Each structure stands twice: as structure tokens, then as C-alpha cells.
Amino acid sequence: MNQPIQIYNTLSRTKEKFQPINPPFVGMYVCGPTVYGEPHLGHARPAITFDLIFRYLKYAGYKVRYVRNITDVGHLENDADEGEDKIEKKARLEKLEPMEVAQFYTNSYHEAMRLLNVLPPSIEPKASGHIIEQMDIVKKILDAGFAYISNGSVYFNVKKYSETHQYGKLSGRVLDDLLANTRELDGQDEKQNPYDFALWKKASPEHIMRWKSPWSDGFPGWHLECSAMSAKYLGEHFDIHGGGMDLMFPHHESEIAQSVAANRVEPCNYWVHNNMITINGQKMGKSLNNFINLAEFFSGKHPLLTQAYSPMTIRFFILQAHYRGTLDFSNEALQAAEKAYKRLLTAYNILLKIVPAQQTDAELAQFIPAFAAKCHEAMNDDFNSPILIANLFETTRWINGLNENKFSINKTDLDAFTHTFHTFMFDILGLTNETAADTTLTTEGLMDLILSIRQQAKTNKDFATSDKIRDELKKLNITIKDTKDGATWNME
Ligand code: ZN
């Protein structure tokens, strides 16, 4: 793997050669979920996008420390620092402890990620566990003169910051436009300017999640947690910061301003954003009644779904589009993805059964290394999974030909072919062989049945039958072992 990886940087708006600060180590921070509801498609896309990047960077030899946080405090209902904390609101409605809500939906999120075969991150820190680190940043920003205290809350002074820095460099927003697009301040407002954002909020009397601070009993602003936790685990300046495009403004823009104000350094070298998902051409949203959560996709139990879709169908569907492209979910598109994924699996499972010959046909001998090179090329070009999948499909012609004895292949070439296919399909795209999993389940069921018949024979003192079952299974390389808790089996 000598070619460099090209990565699209939202900040420069170009593809850049990926050069880690301290190779072979790579630090990657991705904004994780706010845990106040069931995980849905909007959670699946960033998780799968950064899982793909995590897997490929590791495959390329990097030692990646991947930090993906859990937001369990401080995310208010709207971006203007108003409204209730999302988790507290849910807790009030369901008469639960806020941390009970956070734990419940964290568990749901983990289960959905496991089903989607998303690898766990290296560190999964929670905002509520890093209040001291967040207060330290507030102090630093106040000391640097880029924040002000107002009625017990602390706000970032965007106007002051903009005199020497470019607030809006990531999202491309201009301060004057921001002013024009935000409502006028009323006389009651604590902020000096509508675009200032909260670093610390004084808690109202009924607010539950609160901590003592020099400014008030309160809680941190939402943008602060990611600045605090990324710096704690990856250093003040690290390699990659990722998240959904919807987080670019104000969340990521504010993270840059906080880091520069507190540490005089930008948080990272590469900003990576995945595009959003629409459903039948419409934005997803609770009010539009098209909010389908992942468990509903897996069970098919939602009025908009005509059938259930397996986790691997969802994963394959997401990977069929490049992460920076838009993606529209519909039953037709999902059914097409299901078919395509099964076709690839079938091809792979046929490849596993091909018997090698003495010689490889010349054309096929050329195809196998070219196939590997094209797979690498696709992934090196900003993690282009749709091109990679197209390359995998190109193998089906050869695999079907081998299966019909139109071509021949020797053992070395067959091993190389299978290895490349396996590496890119399972290790890098992170798909699983769902049909193989089904086969395993069937085998286990059959073995349970056979062992119970043998046990019955032994109980009836019909040792001829029980020995015959044992001996015949032995010929199939299945060993039966009798223990005091019953028989166990082992396949070689
Ligand atoms: Zn974040």
C-alpha cells in the first residue's frame, strides 16, 4: 500500500493528501449521538461512514485512536441556547432520572451499532463525565478575553473573536449574514449579540443537571464538550474531526473558535463531514411523520416500510453512496440494495467452493492483481465505497465463469483472489456474510437434533445406533464427546 490516501477536507474544500501529525498514530474525533431517543437512520450514516474510515486507516497500517462521544448533557432544544435540555425534557415526560434516559438510549444505540457491524470506538467519553475539563476551557477563554459573563452565564464573544480570526471559515458563513439571519435581541437578552453562543448556562431553579462553578450553578454549553474531550484524549491539535454536515454550523464552527481562543491552535487538520439522508425525497423529521428508527427497519414494523430490512442491507445501502453525496431512502432503493448485497455474497460463497487447477488462464491472471489495485485506488480516493463496490461486482463474471468451468485458476491465484475479495468486502466495508451466519444456525439446529436422537438411542440401550451416529459423524470430521452434562460436538 504505497499510494497516499486522499481525504476531502471541508475546511479547504479540496481533497488533500492524508499526512498524520505523528505517524503511525492517528487521532480521530467524531461527534456521537445525543442520547434522548431511539437510534435512527440519521445515526447510522455517520457511524458507518467513520467506521469505514476507521477500518481503512487501520488496514493502511495506522494506529488509530478513535474517540466518539456520548452527549448526555447540555444539548438544548434549539441552537440559540434556548429551550430545555433534550435529555431532561424526555426525563420529565417519562418521569425518569435524566441519567436513566441517557443510559437507556445509549444501550439502544450500542445494540443498533453492533447489529450494523460498526466497530466500537477506542474511547467513548460522556459529556457529563467531563464537566471540570469544560469549566477549564471556559476559564481559559475568559482569561484570553474572548468571553463575557452575563447574569451567571458565560457567552463566547463572536464579534471580538472576529476582529482577529475568521468565525465562519468552516461553514462559509459571513458574520454580517449571520446577523441579518438571526432575530433582533430583546432588552431581556443576556447576549451582547445574537450570534454569541453559550459556554456556560446558569440553571433555572427546576433544572436538574447542574454543577457548581465560579459563575453560577449551571451546565456547560453544547459545543464545549467536544472541545474538552477531544483535547483530553487526542491533544489540543489532532488529525481528523468528523460528524454529519448538519453539525458544521454552529457546532463545529464554534469548536474551532473555542480551541483557538483557549489554546491558540485549531483543533484538527482535517474536517470530514458526511452528507444527510432523506426519506422519499423529504427531510427526516418527527413532524413529517417519516422518522423511521433502526429497530423499525430491522423488523419492518412501520407504515412507510413494505418489508423488514436486515442490518447488512441498511449498511450496504449506505455504503453504495459516497459519504459526501446525498442519500435517499425508499423501499425500492432498499430492495435493490438487498438484491445487490445478496448477489455479491453469492459470488463470494461460490468463490469459496472453486477447486483450483494447475494453471490460471492468462486473462484471469491479469485481472486478479488489477482488481486488488483498483480496490485500493477507490478507497485511497476519499474512501470511495461506491467505486469499490462496483469493482467487487466486476468479479462476478469471473467467478461465474470459474463455477461453469469456462476458466481455470491455480491455488496461488485463487487464494489471492479470495483474499482481496474478503478483505474489501468484510474487513473494510464491514459487511458480514449473513447467509453464512444462517448456515451456521442451521448446522447448530441439525446437530442438536442428531445428538438428541443419539441420546434417545443410548437411553434405549440401542448402542449400535448411537455408535453408528458417532462413527458416521467422524467421517464428516465432526467429533462427538460424551461428558457428564451430555454430548458436545466439534467440527474440524
Ligand atoms: Zn460534537
Side-chain angles (χ1 to χ4, degrees):
M1 264 257 333
N2 298 321
Q3 300 150 312
I5 295 172
Q6 298 284 324
I7 185 165
Y8 183 87
N9 192 345
T10 312
L11 199 56
S12 66
R13 288 160 180 77
T14 51
K15 278 185 210 170
E16 296 174 16
K17 184 177 160 191
F18 179 59
Q19 282 175 307
I21 296 162
N22 183 24
F25 302 99
V26 170
M28 178 163 86
Y29 186 92
V30 174
C31 293
T34 303
V35 279
Y36 68 105
E38 287 296 339
H40 52 78
L41 278 179
H43 292 106
R45 194 167 194 199
I48 289 172
T49 296
F50 292 98
D51 187 51
L52 176 74
I53 295 175
F54 182 36
R55 285 167 181 270
Y56 192 63
L57 291 176
K58 286 201 294 179
Y59 167 78
Y62 294 113
K63 298 196 182 310
V64 187
R65 182 180 294 165
Y66 174 18
V67 182
R68 189 187 64 206
N69 68 304
I70 295 281
T71 298
D72 59 354
V73 67
H75 196 173
L76 303 186
E77 284 179 285
N78 80 45
D79 284 345
D81 301 317
E82 287 163 355
E84 244 180 300
D85 181 294
K86 290 183 178 187
I87 288 159
E88 236 183 78
K89 183 179 180 185
K90 186 85 175 180
R92 180 171 58 76
L93 293 174
E94 300 196 357
K95 297 193 168 45
L96 297 168
E97 275 293 312
M99 281 304 126
E100 212 173 355
V101 170
Q103 187 66 59
F104 181 84
Y105 291 114
T106 301
N107 294 347
S108 297
Y109 179 75
H110 285 160
E111 176 60 8
M113 292 306 114
R114 191 187 63 78
L115 290 168
L116 290 168
N117 203 28
V118 169
L119 298 173
S122 325
I123 304 176
E124 192 174 49
K126 290 179 187 173
S128 64
H130 299 77
I131 303 294
I132 291 168
E133 288 84 348
Q134 296 182 69
M135 290 201 292
D136 282 346
I137 298 181
V138 179
K139 283 177 203 152
K140 277 190 186 173
I141 298 175
L142 276 167
D143 288 348
F146 289 113
Y148 55 89
I149 304 168
S150 176
N151 189 30
S153 292
V154 184
Y155 292 99
F156 191 93
N157 191 336
V158 173
K159 196 171 173 201
K160 170 86 187 294
Y161 176 81
S162 300
E163 286 166 12
T164 43
H165 304 87
Q166 193 192 344
Y167 184 78
K169 66 190 294 185
L170 181 68
S171 58
R173 303 207 185 191
V174 178
L175 206 56
D176 291 340
D177 297 347
L178 282 178
L179 195 54
N181 290 329
T182 40
R183 57 166 183 76
E184 287 286 306
L185 286 179
D186 59 36
Q188 309 294 311
D189 212 301
E190 296 173 347
K191 294 183 186 179
Q192 291 176 6
N193 277 298
Y195 42 63
D196 291 347
F197 56 89
L199 297 171
W200 186 263
K201 283 284 275 185
K202 181 182 173 180
S204 58
E206 62 277 10
H207 199 98
I208 304 167
M209 290 190 285
R210 55 167 70 214
W211 289 265
K212 285 200 187 317
S213 82
W215 316 290
S216 61
D217 272 18
F219 55 92
W222 171 41
H223 315 311
L224 206 50
E225 61 173 278
C226 294
S227 293
M229 295 186 285
S230 60
K232 174 158 180 162
Y233 298 110
L234 301 174
E236 288 174 1
H237 186 69
F238 55 95
D239 297 299
I240 300 172
H241 193 315
M245 244 168 60
D246 53 335
L247 295 178
M248 207 188 292
F249 187 89
H251 188 54
H252 293 159
E253 197 74 61
S254 303
E255 273 188 53
I256 295 179
Q258 288 170 160
S259 290
V260 171
N263 309 323
R264 294 196 200 89
V265 63
E266 293 208 7
C268 65
N269 281 341
Y270 306 91
W271 281 94
V272 179
H273 290 98
N274 64 276
N275 211 321
M276 307 317 288
I277 286 178
T278 52
I279 294 190
N280 296 318
Q282 273 190 312
K283 232 183 115 175
M284 273 190 334
K286 283 215 161 103
S287 56
L288 293 167
N289 211 18
N290 65 358
F291 216 77
I292 310 175
N293 68 42
L294 290 167
E296 288 166 337
F297 273 104
F298 303 157
S299 69
K301 287 184 188 134
H302 188 282
L304 288 177
L305 299 176
T306 54
Q307 65 170 85
Y309 298 101
S310 75
M312 283 307 111
T313 300
I314 301 282
R315 185 170 179 116
F316 188 83
F317 183 76
I318 287 174
L319 291 169
Q320 262 189 326
H322 187 252
Y323 73 89
R324 284 191 286 116
T326 53
L327 183 58
D328 188 48
F329 268 80
S330 64
N331 281 290
E332 297 71 35
L334 278 169
Q335 282 153 11
E338 184 177 50
K339 268 199 200 119
Y341 160 61
K342 291 224 166 107
R343 252 178 61 213
L344 269 190
L345 271 190
T346 306
Y348 178 74
N349 289 329
I350 292 173
L351 183 62
L352 292 182
K353 290 184 193 137
I354 300 294
V355 180
Q358 288 299 104
Q359 295 268 320
T360 306
D361 286 305
E363 211 191 329
L364 180 55
Q366 281 183 351
F367 171 79
I368 292 165
F371 164 56
K374 281 165 79 180
C375 290
H376 286 109
E377 213 175 281
M379 283 304 291
N380 288 337
D381 183 13
D382 195 27
F383 315 101
N384 201 321
S385 55
I387 302 273
L388 171 59
I389 289 171
N391 287 326
L392 291 174
F393 271 113
E394 276 186 32
T395 62
T396 54
R397 179 173 86 86
W398 293 104
I399 293 172
N400 291 333
L402 285 166
N403 194 37
E404 291 156 16
N405 293 319
K406 286 184 192 154
F407 313 110
S408 62
I409 188 166
N410 69 27
K411 180 150 185 351
T412 311
D413 289 335
L414 181 60
D415 286 349
F417 193 1
T418 310
H419 179 75
T420 303
F421 200 125
H422 186 280
T423 300
F424 283 91
M425 175 104 172
F426 302 113
D427 301 343
I428 291 168
L429 290 174
L431 295 161
T432 58
N433 203 339
E434 271 181 351
T435 52
D438 292 348
T439 311
T440 307
L441 284 179
T442 310
T443 308
E444 280 172 7
L446 285 172
M447 283 306 299
D448 285 348
L449 177 67
I450 292 168
L451 290 184
S452 76
I453 293 170
R454 180 166 173 270
Q455 187 54 47
Q456 190 64 48
K458 282 174 83 173
T459 309
N460 296 341
K461 303 209 181 315
D462 176 6
F463 297 112
T465 302
S466 75
D467 288 352
K468 183 173 161 59
I469 290 173
R470 187 195 58 208
D471 296 343
E472 293 296 320
L473 286 173
K474 184 86 202 152
K475 288 182 198 159
L476 299 169
N477 291 328
I478 297 172
T479 317
I480 303 277
K481 221 172 111 187
D482 289 303
T483 72
K484 60 176 172 26
D485 301 320
T488 60
W489 63 278
N490 203 348
M491 204 187 303
E492 279 159 38

